[in-house]
Amino acid sequence: MIPYGRQDITEADIQAVVDVLRSDFLTQGPAVPAFEQAVTDYCGAQYSVAVNSATSALHIACLALGVGPGDWVWTSPITFVASANCALYCGAQVDFVDIDPRTHNLSVERLTRKLAYAEKTAQLPRVVIPVHLGGQPCDMAGIHALGERYGFQIIEDASHAIGGRYKGERIGNCRYSDITVFSFHPVKIITTAEGGMALTNDAQLAKRLRLLRSHGITRDAADMTHAPDGPWYHQQIDLGFNYRMTDLQAALGLSQMQRLDEFVTKRHGIARRYDELLSGLPLVTPWQHPDSYSGLHLYVIRLKLAEIRKSHCSVFETLRAAGVGVNLHYIPVYRQPYYERMDFKVGHCPEAERYYAEAISLPMYPGMTDGQQDRVVSALRAALVQ
Ligand SMILES: *Cc1c(COP(=O)(O)O)cnc(C)c1O
């Protein structure tokens, strides 16, 4: 089976992890701060906090911004469930803003309308979480301007998007958001096995993220309620978690950072080749906004179902049967049974539902060969025309 995504690991990556295994610290040694520094330097942000997953990063990002019971958090329905679950962890309520039919990202036009209505009903969101689907950045300038007007804060879920750019600047610089989150799961752009990171330009937010990452415990006398009892002393001043990244993971991440640009360039080469090979078939290839450079985590096509005699599901099954590991990113979050129990109904976000009925993620990863890609394309061609 040709997978839809997979990691790219070199001997240098392996050696970096082995070096940590032979060192004094497996966790909380020098590799975590070195990895954090490499990512902040690359992205042009001030601070970064490495954690054990993007899910954890989203959770403590919401907490750091004060999300709690009575608050609303809005995100895109076309995302991994973690982008919405993070708000529920904090006792807040979630709602979804329909997508733009071309980028499949949260639509700023829909957001504008929904905010105007929410203002009247006094249900404005405290936080909006735009998701850069497939690595293509959202209209962050537009979302930021609405944040200024309506007073919400912004967490960018950039799990797909490290290595991409928006208006010429690297994603993760937090110019248009309070916090940006990356995922380092093996299918994403770079990997630490499991892992994530939260970036910010706000020193207070960075401090809160660090505290929440590790039990709410501080060793900084300035933050304690009284002078330390002695050199052993620490205080728990908040309720945090063990969301720490290990040095083994960080060493892998640091080594992977050296090839980040190469990975994204390779993804762009594969995408250009797909664009050419798929032209003329009854499908829509990904649309790229001219003001951005995508990290290209995903290559999502949409079937023109009116022009083919097969169903979406049967095209999918035919491809899987031919050894092509296609996938679907994503089922609209509110169509999950857990969310349906919150009373979300079919039709809540019509554009997202249309997308879900037509989308297929084709295999895409830096190590993909032309031969593998040709197999994907011929299997797809066969699935569509037979
Ligand atoms: C993968 C992903 C996450 C969660 O990442 P983990 O590191 O696996 O916790 C969150 N949001 C989006 C959009 C993702 O794709």
Side-chain angles (χ1 to χ4, degrees):
M1 184 80 86
I2 299 172
Y4 91 83
R6 65 161 291 143
Q7 69 277 13
D8 185 294
I9 300 293
T10 59
E11 280 307 315
D13 292 334
I14 293 166
Q15 195 54 50
V17 176
V18 169
D19 289 346
V20 174
L21 278 170
R22 296 191 201 284
S23 76
D24 291 337
F25 301 99
L26 300 187
T27 187
Q28 291 176 284
V32 169
F35 179 43
E36 288 174 333
Q37 193 60 49
V39 178
T40 37
D41 289 349
Y42 179 89
C43 294
Q46 300 270 331
Y47 311 98
S48 67
V49 180
V51 288
N52 58 0
S53 72
T55 304
S56 303
L58 287 162
H59 182 193
I60 60 174
C62 284
L63 288 174
L65 292 175
V67 172
D71 290 327
W72 282 94
V73 173
W74 292 1
T75 187
S76 169
I78 299 299
T79 185
F80 184 56
V81 290
S83 319
N85 289 347
C86 56
L88 303 181
Y89 298 155
C90 306
Q93 282 176 279
V94 179
D95 202 357
F96 301 91
V97 182
D98 208 354
I99 60 168
D100 177 283
R102 281 204 295 190
T103 62
H104 312 136
N105 282 331
L106 180 152
S107 154
V108 172
E109 191 197 315
R110 300 284 181 145
L111 178 62
T112 306
R113 271 191 270 159
K114 200 174 170 75
L115 287 165
Y117 183 75
E119 188 175 39
K120 287 193 204 117
T121 55
Q123 290 196 321
L124 283 169
R126 182 178 186 118
V127 169
V128 173
I129 307 182
V131 182
H132 305 319
L133 188 72
Q136 163 145 263
C138 296
D139 175 358
M140 290 309 300
I143 296 167
H144 183 257
L146 290 167
E148 300 273 285
R149 163 133 197 255
Y150 288 97
F152 61 80
Q153 291 178 289
I154 300 168
I155 301 170
E156 282 174 76
D157 184 345
S159 291
H160 301 176
I162 194 169
R165 288 191 290 271
Y166 174 68
K167 294 190 190 291
E169 295 180 327
R170 290 211 167 116
I171 294 169
N173 72 356
C174 300
R175 182 181 295 285
Y176 301 99
S177 62
D178 298 281
I179 297 172
T180 301
V181 168
F182 291 135
S183 172
F184 307 125
H185 181 277
V187 296
K188 307 286 167 76
I189 310 279
I190 62 165
T191 192
T192 61
E194 296 285 358
M197 198 175 279
L199 292 87
T200 182
N201 292 325
D202 181 318
Q204 285 308 313
L205 280 179
K207 199 170 177 177
R208 265 189 70 61
L209 290 165
R210 291 219 164 83
L211 205 57
L212 291 165
R213 162 174 74 178
S214 196
H215 309 281
I217 286 175
T218 184
R219 292 177 187 281
D220 185 348
D223 297 324
M224 295 182 187
T225 55
H226 58 77
D229 295 350
W232 65 87
Y233 198 63
H234 60 263
Q235 279 190 346
Q236 185 191 342
I237 56 171
D238 203 342
L239 184 62
F241 309 88
N242 179 355
Y243 281 173
R244 294 187 305 265
M245 178 180 274
T246 67
D247 264 39
L248 295 166
Q249 293 166 299
L252 177 56
L254 190 58
S255 179
Q256 290 257 302
M257 275 303 284
Q258 294 179 27
R259 280 176 298 136
L260 169 55
D261 286 338
E262 180 192 321
F263 288 157
V264 176
T265 304
K266 282 190 176 160
R267 286 174 178 276
H268 276 261
I270 294 164
R272 267 198 305 275
R273 199 159 177 271
Y274 266 139
D275 288 345
E276 286 161 22
L277 295 171
L278 299 176
S279 72
L281 288 176
L283 51 85
V284 181
T285 54
W287 184 77
Q288 175 61 49
H289 198 289
D291 73 5
S292 61
Y293 177 74
S294 175
L296 267 174
H297 165 54
L298 300 174
Y299 188 91
V300 178
I301 57 164
R302 288 180 67 162
L303 302 181
K304 291 182 178 170
L305 289 169
E307 295 177 26
I308 57 180
R309 267 179 296 150
K310 282 203 184 160
S311 70
H312 182 232
C313 187
S314 70
V315 172
F316 225 96
E317 282 167 351
T318 310
L319 286 166
R320 286 264 178 103
V324 176
V326 284
N327 221 312
L328 209 173
H329 300 91
Y330 293 90
I331 303 162
V333 176
Y334 64 85
R335 297 300 320 279
Q336 298 289 354
Y338 187 79
Y339 281 83
E340 283 182 334
R341 276 184 247 135
M342 287 170 223
D343 230 16
F344 286 107
K345 297 277 190 301
V346 176
H348 188 57
C349 295
E351 223 31 92
E353 291 178 24
R354 265 193 288 281
Y355 166 89
Y356 175 57
E358 300 171 356
I360 300 179
S361 303
L362 299 184
M364 165 86 143
Y365 45 93
M368 189 177 203
T369 63
D370 285 356
Q372 286 168 328
Q373 200 176 7
D374 292 340
R375 267 180 58 203
V376 173
V377 172
S378 60
L380 178 60
R381 191 180 292 277
L384 291 174
V385 299
Q386 270 161 22

